[in-house]
Amino acid sequence: MALDLLQTVQQNLNFPPLQKIDPNTQEVKLDSNTPNEHRFSQAAIPAILTGLYAYSAKDENAETILRGDLSSDWVSAIFGNRKHEVVDKISQYSFYGREELSAGKLNDIAAEAVSVTRDQMKPGATIKEVKDFLSAQTTNWLPYLPAALHMGELVNEEALDDNTNKMEGPVSSLMHKIGSAFSKPTNEEEVSEKNK
């Protein structure tokens, strides 16, 4: 069975299990008894994985994921000048203060995601293999990504916010796989064409 990056990161960091988003309401069924820690992991883990996926589109970034320094500030690297927007969205969703998130919780998730991704690579892996791995993972984390975060918009991949990404079933699964195969640029030239 293939590794599920979202569940592996969640389990490795001892966060509570995440809930899938209802494709009709675009929200998780949370109530006032749901602890803030759950709201945090529900927002933060899929948001970081969305950012990591988008970050890997550039060859040099995929190379950094594969061989870069694991102790770096991954959240700043992944989101760049949109880091504060991402932190604000997750803070608002989870009721955590910005300071709590900026102090390292998000970076811990990002570092763990990078570490798990590296562990999945065979010796001599290429940047294309990193991109393929992260692209294949989209069907695992998108059903958990709260629409309120607008992460697709923040990483310039608006299609990621589409509620069809939250749907399940044999036809939806097939469509997600086909979409993943065609949506991910594999080299710098394709990224340049896509951004024109």
Side-chain angles (χ1 to χ4, degrees), residues 144-163:
Y144 296 89
L145 181 65
L149 300 177
H150 301 285
M151 285 304 300
E153 183 181 314
L154 289 173
V155 298
N156 297 319
E157 291 275 345
E158 285 82 10
L160 296 176
D161 289 330
D162 189 346
N163 70 344

Side-chain angles (χ1 to χ4, degrees), residues 64-134:
T64 301
I65 292 169
L66 186 59
R67 296 180 180 78
D69 178 13
L70 274 177
S71 65
S72 67
D73 179 3
W74 282 105
V75 177
S76 292
I78 292 168
F79 296 108
N81 62 356
R82 294 207 131 167
K83 173 186 175 181
H84 296 296
E85 283 181 80
V86 171
V87 170
D88 284 343
K89 295 254 186 205
I90 294 170
S91 175
Q92 290 166 8
Y93 187 87
S94 66
F95 310 124
Y96 271 44
R98 280 185 99 275
E99 299 75 29
E100 292 176 275
L101 298 182
S102 298
K105 285 179 174 273
L106 294 176
N107 203 56
D108 291 345
I109 293 169
E112 184 64 22
V114 170
S115 178
V116 171
T117 299
R118 284 184 186 179
D119 289 347
Q120 294 305 301
M121 299 295 114
K122 295 182 172 129
T126 65
I127 57 176
K128 183 178 181 327
E129 289 171 286
V130 172
K131 292 178 181 193
D132 290 346
F133 173 76
L134 290 171

Side-chain angles (χ1 to χ4, degrees), residues 166-179:
K166 314 293 192 274
M167 294 181 181
E168 296 184 301
V171 174
S172 294
S173 295
L174 176 63
M175 295 310 291
H176 293 310
K177 287 179 183 173
I178 291 170

Side-chain angles (χ1 to χ4, degrees), residues 5-29:
L5 185 58
L6 176 125
Q7 286 186 353
T8 303
V9 169
Q10 172 257 311
Q11 291 168 354
N12 288 355
L13 296 177
N14 297 312
F15 284 113
L18 306 184
Q19 297 176 10
K20 289 187 177 177
I21 302 298
D22 180 331
N24 296 317
T25 65
Q26 289 291 296
E27 274 305 319
V28 175
K29 291 178 184 159

